[in-house]
Amino acid sequence: MGKVTGFLEYDRQEQKYQLAGERIRHFREFTLPLDDSDLKKQAARCMDCGIPFCHGPTGCPVHNQIPDWNDLVFQNDWEEAARNLHSTNNFPEFTGRICPAPCEEACTLNLENQPVAIKTIEQAIADKAWEMGWIKPEPASTTTGKRVAIIGSGPAGLAAAQQLARAGHEVHVFEREAKPGGLLRYGIPDFKMEKYHIDRRVKQMEAEGVTFHCGVNVGVTKTFASLHNEYDAVLFAAGAEDPRNPNLPGQDLVGVHYAMPYLTQSNKRVGSEAVADEPILAAGKHVIVIGGGDTASDCVGTAFRQGALSVTQLDIRPKPPEREDKLTVWPYWPTKMRTSSSQAEGAEREFQAATLGIEGKKGRVIGVQCARVDEKRQPIAGSEFMLKADLVFLAIGFAGSVKEGLLAQSGVELDRRGNVIANDRDYRASSDKVFVAGDMRRGQSLVVWAIREGRQAAHAIDTYLTGASDLPR
């Protein structure tokens, strides 16, 4: 629990950022880590709260033992803290960078708006573990002779692959793109997480026996049936990539794009990969981003780094309160005003703004027609306004997984939202020896949830193949 009186002695302190004017000049990570002495003080703030909601069902999806590794950091036992952290989370350097930290919202000290800086400490533990050489391959001592195919190398697929390889199975991961990582590599910008974090995990997993097959699109360049026949179990972990279509007038104009192709292009360009499609670039343009979530925010930050003249983000939701009513929502995730680092770089934010249509001239976008909405999100007559636009991104979420190809060939049953039907106990899909985890099962969600599902699916597959499993759920 750290220091008994630590939460009274030390104020909350998080890692700082480079100034916005500096960080928009590059795509590198821009956080300025705390030193060990400050981290020790932050870990000391973890109080003896009795019931640690931070790692319960309302806090951390992977059930990180947060009070335990906070105490170990306070005791200066970083190596044991790293072991503890990795016992529940395969990739804490990912979540320490890109997780929105529901654990901090569930922290008891958040009742006073001063939660423990859990995310900052988690990243520091993971980074120190790599720096000190404590993270090494952990190959299985014995093999089972069973072969598992994993389709998709995002956080769910990677977590499942590592767990199953350590259980002694022969694991093959099939990835459509040129490099492993899925959404981690091609959806999340480098300024939030540089890709060497993925590369060194892939190298570790290859040393543990995982084989990666990149440039293989199962359901397109390789049939599902051929894969299904070759392996004892198949895990679907290809994400929820089908963008929600708003069917806006003018949506087909030149300069209107879904968010993910834009982010994927940018990430490939930053990673020195070839970009085959027509370039989507924000330099010298007035950019409108439709949507209020993390993907929209990533578009904002990417556009600024490409040299956009202005970026405006449209959110149909009303402007939330600066602070939530703790007694009605804690320890759950609250609706309150949040400003991402990308938004803080100069974005204009329009709340209660519906997009009525997109205006064009000679086939190109020139503006976005908007209106204010009422509490039912219906446009209010007379509130219409126009925003100038040279480039428009649609970032309003996803409607499940792509149906063509893999899902159509496998014949697995889908729910009404387009997700593959499977429960969170055995992760079995309706087709024989097929399992599913991550966004393909639960819909668009957080990276930390994908890691949890990958770990639990690995336990289920191990049990299916051998009759029992020592893997944690």
Side-chain angles (χ1 to χ4, degrees), residues 166-323:
R166 290 176 176 179
H169 304 300
E170 182 183 331
V171 179
H172 293 256
V173 179
F174 294 84
E175 168 57 46
R176 177 190 62 201
E177 298 289 349
K179 296 180 181 180
L183 179 72
L184 294 166
R185 184 181 298 276
Y186 295 104
I188 295 171
D190 278 51
F191 57 80
K192 289 175 70 173
M193 188 181 79
E194 294 180 36
K195 302 308 179 268
Y196 73 87
H197 298 292
I198 303 169
D199 295 335
R200 62 188 181 186
R201 281 296 183 183
V202 169
K203 186 176 180 180
Q204 178 197 28
M205 293 169 65
E206 287 175 334
E208 293 171 344
V210 178
T211 302
F212 289 90
H213 304 268
C214 294
V216 180
N217 192 349
V218 181
V220 179
T221 61
K222 182 179 179 64
T223 66
F224 166 74
S226 66
L227 191 76
H228 189 257
N229 292 335
E230 292 176 34
Y231 292 89
D232 299 297
V234 179
L235 174 65
F236 288 5
E241 296 184 309
D242 192 14
R244 186 171 288 116
N245 187 350
N247 293 308
L248 293 171
Q251 189 175 312
D252 58 346
L253 290 165
V254 174
V256 181
H257 306 273
Y258 285 112
M260 202 49 66
Y262 172 59
L263 295 174
T264 299
Q265 266 199 26
S266 176
N267 286 333
K268 285 184 176 181
R269 203 173 284 115
V270 172
S272 300
E273 290 188 49
V275 177
D277 300 322
E278 186 72 20
I280 309 171
L281 294 166
K285 296 177 181 177
H286 297 282
V287 178
I288 303 293
V289 181
I290 302 172
D294 290 338
T295 301
S297 181
D298 292 344
C299 289
V300 170
T302 300
F304 278 129
R305 282 159 180 76
Q306 290 183 349
L309 293 178
S310 69
V311 182
T312 303
Q313 188 175 354
L314 304 180
D315 194 332
I316 200 169
R317 299 170 297 184
K319 186 175 181 178
E322 289 294 329
R323 288 187 176 177

Side-chain angles (χ1 to χ4, degrees), residues 104-176:
E104 294 190 15
E105 297 292 349
C107 176
T108 302
L109 287 176
N110 190 39
L111 288 168
E112 297 294 330
N113 297 301
Q114 291 291 315
V116 175
I118 299 168
K119 181 178 175 179
T120 294
I121 299 169
E122 177 181 23
Q123 179 183 331
I125 295 171
D127 289 351
K128 185 175 284 290
W130 279 107
E131 177 189 347
M132 300 301 293
W134 298 331
I135 298 176
K136 299 175 181 177
E138 300 176 27
S141 57
T142 59
T143 57
T144 64
K146 301 293 185 179
R147 306 177 77 225
V148 182
I150 297 176
I151 303 172
S153 65
L158 290 177
Q162 185 164 63
Q163 295 293 93
L164 287 165
R166 290 176 176 179
H169 304 300
E170 182 183 331
V171 179
H172 293 256
V173 179
F174 294 84
E175 168 57 46
R176 177 190 62 201

Side-chain angles (χ1 to χ4, degrees), residues 29-44:
E29 292 178 20
F30 51 80
T31 53
L32 306 174
L34 301 179
D35 61 31
D36 285 3
S37 62
D38 285 332
L39 287 162
K40 182 176 180 179
K41 291 176 182 176
Q42 292 308 301

Side-chain angles (χ1 to χ4, degrees), residues 365-439:
V365 60
I366 61 170
V368 177
Q369 295 178 332
C370 308
R372 301 298 173 192
V373 297
D374 58 23
E375 64 276 4
K376 295 183 179 179
R377 297 188 178 182
Q378 296 302 308
I380 300 172
S383 69
E384 296 83 4
F385 61 99
M386 174 79 76
L387 294 173
K388 182 179 180 179
D390 306 305
L391 194 59
V392 177
F393 296 120
L394 307 175
I396 56 173
F398 299 87
S401 303
V402 175
K403 310 304 181 294
E404 297 79 16
L406 174 62
L407 292 185
Q409 290 180 16
S410 66
V412 293
E413 293 181 11
L414 308 178
D415 63 20
R416 60 184 180 83
R417 297 177 62 192
N419 302 322
V420 179
I421 295 176
N423 62 47
D424 61 358
R425 295 180 300 280
D426 62 20
Y427 289 85
R428 293 283 299 273
S430 58
S431 295
D432 178 49
K433 68 182 181 183
V434 173
F435 299 76
V436 60
D439 288 3

